[in-house]
Amino acid sequence: MNQQSKIAQGTLGESRPVLIIGAGPTGMTAAMELARFGVPVRLIDKMPTPSTTSRALAVQARTLELLEQRGLTQQMLQVGNRGTAATLYSDSKRLGRIELANIPSRYNYILLISQAETERLLREHLAQQGVVIERGTELVAFSQIESASNLGKNAGVRTVLRNQAGQLEELDAAYAISAEGAHSLMRRTLNLEFKGKSLPQRYAVADLYLDSDLPDNELSIFLTSHGFLAVFPMGNRHFRFIASDTDQQADATSEPTLAELQRLYDTIAHRPGQLHDLTWSSRFYINSRMLDTLRERRIFFGGDSAHIHSPAGGQGMNTGIQDMIDLGWKLALVWHGKAAPELLDTYAEERLPVIRQVVARTETATDIFNSTSKLVHQLLTLAAPVVLNAQFIQELSTGLVSEVTANYRASALSRTRYLRGELRAGDRMPDFAIRAQLLTEVSAQSHEATLQVLLDPACFTLFVVGDESKAALPYDWVEQLRPWQDMLRIYHIAPASSSAEATAQFKQAFGGSQSLLLVRPDAYLGFVGGQHEFHSLLGWFQQWFPAQDVN
């Protein structure tokens, strides 16, 4: 689904563009989301050409779900390779296996795709939206403008840009988004502390081809008492290597050679294999850092500008993309004058706990996998077969890595009233088959669909759960929802079939009947309650999206 917003500009709306600094996956996602809502953007990147190295590799299930609603996932699936499991080895002995089929999503795998390909698809999507990436253009100075009125209409970000020819331009932006990466000029200029630590160990990374018996559809992780090696299949025997760099005599700035990588493989993997056709390699140290805030008045931070961490779990790029999907619709509605400015406070409120969890998990995984303690290694090799055999561990680990279990229940934006099923405001909307009827179109017929297919990233979706024979909105509801009609689609939903399994699944999620669930444009629930709590739903809308004159 790739729809443009029909949301009209409010009476307090903006006209100045949003400046986005950095055209990597984070910055391009921000531009994609804002452009969908009709917000003008300036997307700049100081690099004259796109990067051609693969860097980030893994696209997780939650990211695939969100990008599907934006028309990108099917193209990514055509290019990427599906990793269906992760297997741990020690000294060539198999310790255990994480089955990614346990991910509660139709994308129950990790999609392994070069970041260069992900960026290409995002660029093509932006071009279709009419967004131009201004290459060779960098931010050289900025200041925040205070408002002369209580409405904040004159507040903004005054910037100085320098293009490829060295010419300077002054730009007054309504807001700015720093997606510049780990060396963010905005973050450093504002003197925001990038808290964390640098790990002393050095790592080697490479893309190459491997002739061996390692499967081409699963991640292989080898653990030893002196380091680890992770092998990610990119398809057609093309692999990404990440390994403890045991050759400490080598220059840290040098690129690992094929011979050096072969020695690492032979030492750690203990499996027959011939490496060849090295396409890219590098050495790096891991820094694990994050901001305590994602907002400084009218400047927002996301992606590597806000958090960097170990590549364990392959979540860095995914977290940055999801940062911008959270921020995008909120910033767009405030820009249009359709939302209370306080809505922007929920960006950091929702994303910071998720980021902290990602940073903590990747630090722990890296410490365990990279430990040189023989005792730690022995405990790991003894515990892994037992732990990974437990179904709840399988479900917990795959849910965390895939990011489908992240939620915003503690957000001020999440309101749960009168619980029936297991869903709460702030949860990701699940995906399974139902029967649906669009109530905002008089002639719409009931039909079979899946929940996430019904979601539109350009507006809110209200699900009215109840008896299919009563699939109609009370007239007074229609009138009371009229101030938000341009940003709302309403469906009546019921179990997809009369089978016991389908009915049980539906009841587990929604509580059977007589419920109201409002899904935000980013596919998380904003409101959950019984139908008798309709007045509370109206209060939620009025709080965050104060009604304006619709005449």
Side-chain angles (χ1 to χ4, degrees):
M1 190 178 295
N2 179 23
Q3 300 192 19
Q4 293 295 117
S5 174
K6 297 179 180 178
I7 293 174
Q9 184 167 331
T11 58
L12 301 179
E14 261 287 356
S15 59
R16 294 168 297 170
V18 174
L19 174 65
I20 304 168
I21 307 100
T26 300
M28 284 195 282
T29 301
M32 173 180 71
E33 292 302 281
L34 292 171
R36 173 190 323 286
F37 284 93
V39 177
V41 300
R42 294 281 299 274
L43 176 58
I44 67 171
D45 196 293
K46 65 182 180 181
M47 298 301 294
T49 58
S51 174
T52 57
T53 56
S54 58
R55 295 166 290 149
L57 187 67
V59 182
Q60 304 291 355
R62 184 57 181 148
T63 304
L64 291 171
E65 288 178 348
L66 293 167
L67 293 182
E68 177 189 23
Q69 294 159 7
R70 289 148 179 86
L72 284 161
T73 292
Q74 292 307 310
Q75 298 173 69
M76 297 177 76
L77 294 178
Q78 293 172 9
V79 177
N81 186 50
R82 304 179 190 191
T84 59
T87 302
L88 271 66
Y89 300 89
S90 177
D91 299 326
S92 76
K93 177 185 175 182
R94 176 172 152 168
L95 298 178
R97 177 185 173 95
I98 299 173
E99 297 288 353
L100 300 178
N102 288 295
I103 296 172
S105 169
R106 99 179 59 159
Y107 302 110
N108 54 350
Y109 46 80
I110 293 176
L111 184 67
L112 299 164
I113 176 175
S114 163
Q115 182 175 328
E117 284 296 301
T118 299
E119 291 187 5
R120 176 183 64 82
L121 294 172
L122 284 167
R123 284 197 305 274
E124 291 174 356
H125 189 84
L126 287 176
Q128 293 172 3
Q129 292 179 300
V131 176
V132 176
I133 300 174
E134 301 177 45
R135 291 278 173 194
T137 301
E138 62 180 319
L139 173 74
V140 294
F142 69 92
S143 63
Q144 296 209 60
I145 308 165
E146 297 293 344
S147 173
S149 72
N150 292 331
L151 296 178
K153 289 196 67 174
N154 297 320
V157 185
R158 182 161 293 160
T159 65
V160 178
L161 312 180
R162 181 168 53 216
N163 67 17
Q164 216 163 354
Q167 297 171 323
L168 298 179
E169 174 194 358
E170 288 189 2
L171 171 68
D172 279 346
Y175 300 90
I177 297 174
S178 171
E180 308 158 81
H183 303 290
S184 165
L185 174 65
M186 282 190 152
R187 189 191 66 237
R188 289 183 285 117
T189 302
L190 291 168
N191 200 29
L192 299 177
E193 187 176 1
F194 210 27
K195 295 181 180 179
K197 62 182 181 180
S198 300
L199 302 185
Q201 300 92 339
R202 193 172 73 192
Y203 301 87
V205 59
D207 288 350
L208 44 73
Y209 288 81
L210 169 63
D211 293 333
S212 77
D213 62 351
L214 290 180
D216 214 9
N217 66 339
E218 66 181 55
L219 289 64
S220 301
I221 303 171
F222 300 89
L223 308 175
T224 71
S225 59
H226 55 272
F228 80 98
L229 166 68
V231 184
F232 302 86
M234 300 168 69
N236 300 317
R237 308 310 301 168
H238 192 199
F239 289 85
R240 160 73 57 84
F241 272 33
I242 300 178
S244 305
D245 190 1
T246 56
D247 186 3
Q248 294 299 317
Q249 302 302 314
D251 183 355
T253 62
S254 65
E255 298 176 352
T257 65
L258 188 62
E260 290 172 328
L261 294 165
Q262 183 71 61
R263 283 197 297 272
L264 278 175
Y265 178 81
D266 295 339
T267 301
I268 299 176
H270 296 291
R271 293 177 72 109
Q274 184 63 47
L275 282 58
H276 59 95
D277 293 306
L278 175 66
T279 57
W280 170 72
S281 69
S282 182
R283 287 185 164 92
F284 69 98
Y285 290 92
I286 291 176
N287 294 300
S288 186
R289 303 183 183 279
M290 66 172 288
L291 289 172
D292 279 340
T293 180
L294 299 179
R295 179 186 183 189
E296 180 65 24
R297 289 182 287 168
R298 290 209 164 203
I299 296 173
F300 300 89
F301 297 87
D304 288 354
S305 290
H307 47 84
I308 55 174
H309 47 82
S310 165
Q315 293 181 286
M317 180 181 69
N318 294 271
T319 307
I321 288 173
Q322 291 176 42
D323 289 344
M324 294 301 101
I325 288 178
D326 183 284
L327 174 63
W329 66 274
K330 298 172 181 177
L331 185 55
L333 292 176
V334 171
W335 187 95
H336 276 296
K338 300 287 287 186
E342 291 78 14
L343 182 65
L344 297 177
D345 294 333
T346 67
Y347 167 54
E349 182 184 14
E350 293 180 347
R351 293 303 298 168
L352 280 174
V354 174
I355 294 165
R356 289 192 188 101
Q357 291 173 9
V358 169
V359 170
R361 287 198 304 268
T362 56
E363 281 185 1
T364 300
T366 302
D367 289 342
I368 292 173
F369 288 169
N370 202 55
S371 175
T372 57
S373 166
K374 289 186 178 180
L375 177 60
V376 171
H377 180 66
Q378 289 174 349
L379 290 173
L380 183 61
T381 55
L382 288 172
V386 177
V387 171
L388 294 180
N389 196 43
Q391 183 61 26
F392 83 94
I393 292 293
Q394 290 278 334
E395 294 173 358
L396 176 65
S397 59
T398 54
L400 291 173
V401 170
S402 64
E403 303 193 22
V404 299
T405 56
N407 69 74
Y408 305 139
R409 287 187 178 185
S411 169
L413 193 54
S414 300
R415 184 179 298 181
T416 300
R417 306 278 297 188
Y418 192 75
L419 306 177
R420 287 185 177 273
E422 66 179 10
L423 290 174
R424 305 290 184 271
D427 288 353
R428 153 191 170 267
M429 192 64 183
D431 193 25
F432 54 83
I434 45 87
R435 285 200 65 79
Q437 182 177 349
L438 183 62
L439 300 183
T440 45
E441 290 184 8
V442 176
S443 60
Q445 298 296 311
S446 177
H447 63 284
E448 296 246 347
T450 61
L451 284 165
Q452 291 195 12
V453 166
L454 299 178
L455 303 181
D456 187 338
C459 65
F460 291 87
T461 305
L462 176 61
F463 289 119
V464 179
V465 182
D467 189 327
E468 197 166 3
S469 65
K470 301 177 181 178
L473 279 182
Y475 179 76
D476 61 324
W477 286 21
V478 175
E479 288 303 304
Q480 292 177 82
L481 288 171
R482 192 174 299 281
W484 303 283
Q485 63 183 353
D486 63 346
M487 53 194 291
L488 183 63
R489 298 180 73 183
I490 306 174
Y491 287 94
H492 180 278
I493 59 173
S497 69
S498 58
S499 74
E501 182 180 356
T503 302
Q505 187 178 34
F506 190 91
K507 187 172 183 178
Q508 181 180 5
F510 301 114
S513 64
Q514 307 304 309
S515 298
L516 295 171
L517 298 97
L518 183 74
V519 188
R520 309 171 349 176
D522 59 356
Y524 288 88
L525 287 159
F527 178 91
V528 174
Q531 291 187 23
H532 64 280
E533 292 283 356
F534 180 72
H535 65 282
S536 186
L537 172 64
L538 291 175
W540 185 92
F541 268 115
Q542 188 62 46
Q543 177 184 355
W544 297 106
F545 311 97
Q548 301 176 42
D549 186 4
V550 296
N551 295 323

